[in-house]
Amino acid sequence: MLRISKLTDYSTVVMSYLAREPNKMHNARDIMAHTQLNLPTVSKILKMLHKAGLLRSQRGANGGYSLMLPPESISITQILAAMEGNVALTECSTHHSHCSIESICHIRTNWRSISRIVQESLSKITLADMLRP
Amino acid sequence: MLRISKLTDYSTVVMSYLAREPNKMHNARDIMAHTQLNLPTVSKILKMLHKAGLLRSQRGANGGYSLMLPPESISITQILAAMEGNVALTECSTHHSHCSIESICHIRTNWRSISRIVQESLSKITLADMLRP
DNA sequence: TTAATCAGGACTGCTATAGTACTAATTATA
DNA sequence: TATAATTAGTACTATAGCAGTCCTGATTAA
């Protein structure tokens, strides 16, 4: 039903928590306690967000994660992209797919524009917006 | 990656084909031939679209399907809804879900608004738009 | 040196999806 | 009226992707 995955959903929860104190380091255990997600999941999400460049990490004792950018500068699209790759409503919108009817399908470019429209409307929403109720 | 399902994708192909001759009846075999989808799949899609009220059907010999409304009056959202249910980016946006952190999650309403934004931008695109390259 | 913490994979079980098949109901037409 | 064509409805299976878990290694503050 045009869903984002649970992990992606959770990642916005994690990011929102970090955004409340953008300059403070938070370790996985701390985030777990405040989001009620379990540790392996939190840990997995943090690694993915870090790999995508949205978080800064510090190893070792007293280490942890913090936002790479201020909450106003991080869009929902970026979080989505970090967790799931680019927003593309159909397979053929991105790479050459294995869709069996690709050769005769005439609406591919239309789907591409539609994806772009969705992407643009999501990119206008930032993490800072998510903090407000 | 914020994808629609393949069946939904195919359903837009089927709908586009029907939209070219909105008043003519097309049977499943004919649609199969022109879309290069296989018969069981086409058949399944047509039944779903019919059940959702987007198609009119005629049983028996010389029967088939045709659009219930003119292409300008059918939006992408309607096709999406017919195939996958309502557009809702997160589980908690629709019904009370089994999300384990629902009780402490503060960003639920935000996701609900985001879903609405996506839904609105998709509802502006009609089947008639899909016919144009 | 030690304990705390992140990094990077590998693995498993579950669920949703795609695709298929079969039978019943309906109807135009010869 | 008989027949062939066609949709309606349901059930089944195999596959792929996702959520969740676990283990081992690397890094660093104290």
Side-chain angles (χ1 to χ4, degrees), chain B residues 71-87:
Chain B
E72 304 79 35
S73 307
I74 301 177
S75 71
I76 297 295
T77 326
Q78 283 175 281
I79 301 176
L80 259 168
M83 301 297 291
E84 321 199 353
N86 275 325
V87 172

Side-chain angles (χ1 to χ4, degrees), chain B residues 5-133:
Chain B
S5 79
K6 269 193 176 180
L7 273 191
T8 306
D9 190 1
Y10 292 160
S11 73
T12 61
V13 175
V14 169
M15 288 293 276
S16 307
Y17 175 64
L18 291 177
R20 287 206 238 156
E21 295 160 305
N23 301 314
K24 197 178 154 193
M25 277 284 174
H26 292 276
N27 65 33
R29 205 167 292 274
D30 168 42
I31 296 170
M32 168 194 77
H34 286 88
T35 58
Q36 303 223 7
L37 299 166
N38 49 32
L39 192 54
T41 303
V42 167
S43 183
K44 189 178 194 172
I45 291 169
L46 289 169
K47 283 173 204 171
M48 294 176 81
L49 293 170
H50 170 250
K51 202 171 178 183
L54 296 180
L55 297 179
R56 143 185 322 128
S57 76
Q58 172 72 40
R59 288 190 180 186
N62 295 326
Y65 294 90
S66 63
L67 295 187
M68 191 67 107
L69 298 167
E72 304 79 35
S73 307
I74 301 177
S75 71
I76 297 295
T77 326
Q78 283 175 281
I79 301 176
L80 259 168
M83 301 297 291
E84 321 199 353
N86 275 325
V87 172
L89 294 180
T90 60
E91 202 180 328
C92 60
S93 303
T94 43
H95 41 70
H96 264 296
S97 64
H98 315 84
C99 176
S100 53
I101 62 166
E102 188 168 310
S103 57
I104 62 133
C105 176
H106 302 300
I107 63 179
R108 207 188 326 168
T109 51
N110 287 314
W111 272 118
R112 217 169 277 175
S113 352
I114 296 173
S115 292
R116 198 173 325 121
I117 291 169
V118 171
Q119 194 158 10
E120 273 162 19
S121 60
L122 288 179
S123 66
K124 286 179 194 140
I125 304 163
T126 72
L127 199 50
D129 296 326
M130 297 297 270
L131 291 186
R132 289 189 276 275

